[in-house]
Amino acid sequence: MLLTRYAQLNGDLIRNLPSDMKSELIIFEGVIPDAIMSSLYANDSFYKKERSEFLNYRDDVREKMYYARGRREELANNDPDYDSVSARINIETDECIDFVKEYPKFKPLIESIIYEDQDLNVVKVVPIDEYLTEN
């Protein structure tokens, strides 16, 4: 059975992001996964304004973002096991996991990894700490 994985974000933390974490994410010079970035944008207009302004002056960071999105599309369209939407979701989830592995201080942004079957039934929910330990 093929399962689709989702990163369940910590909504409370994202809505009430501590100022030090918010500052770090605003000027972060790497790629923030789109799932995390879009949630931050939707929940914090100050973050959205400041991050957008930062990116306006950082072509190098924008290039990294565009490359990551292009790579995701290429991988999703070439996955023989999944339709492109499910493949894209799994790839976006992997990006979130890789992000918190590389930058553990941002791990609190993710609560768990949710597995769903093809009928969108939740098969299991794995807390992020447990997931990172097992994988």
Side-chain angles (χ1 to χ4, degrees):
M1 168 176 33
L2 296 175
L3 300 176
T4 303
R5 292 175 290 111
Y6 297 87
Q8 180 179 13
L9 301 180
N10 183 336
D12 288 336
L13 177 63
I14 288 173
R15 283 187 294 280
N16 302 295
L17 205 57
S19 59
D20 58 334
M21 185 181 285
K22 185 183 301 192
S23 297
E24 286 183 74
L25 287 166
I26 287 170
I27 61 169
F28 186 74
E29 294 187 357
V31 176
I32 299 170
D34 283 349
I36 294 171
M37 179 80 108
S38 62
S39 186
L40 288 166
Y41 272 22
N43 287 286
D44 191 327
S45 59
F46 177 80
Y47 173 83
K48 181 178 180 179
K49 176 186 171 294
E50 294 298 315
R51 178 68 176 172
S52 296
E53 195 169 301
F54 171 78
L55 292 173
N56 282 337
Y57 296 100
R58 294 300 304 268
D59 291 339
D60 60 324
V61 177
R62 284 198 323 268
E63 279 184 37
K64 291 177 196 175
M65 291 168 57
Y66 298 145
Y67 175 79
R69 288 178 184 144
R71 181 179 163 275
R72 180 184 327 126
E73 289 302 313
E74 182 180 329
L75 291 171
N77 291 329
N78 293 320
D79 189 326
D81 295 326
Y82 289 91
D83 64 82
S84 64
V85 173
S86 294
R88 191 174 297 107
I89 291 168
N90 284 341
I91 293 164
E92 288 177 3
T93 300
D94 289 342
E95 291 171 348
C96 290
I97 293 164
D98 292 344
F99 179 71
V100 299
K101 281 182 177 178
E102 187 169 350
Y103 307 100
K105 63 185 164 195
F106 298 126
K107 185 178 64 161
L109 294 170
I110 300 176
E111 288 184 350
S112 58
I113 304 300
I114 299 173
Y115 291 82
E116 289 185 350
D117 64 17
Q118 294 159 326
D119 296 324
L120 305 179
N121 298 310
V122 173
V123 174
K124 67 179 174 176
V125 177
V126 181
I128 190 63
D129 288 329
E130 183 180 323
Y131 183 90
L132 293 173
T133 301
E134 293 175 355
N135 295 287

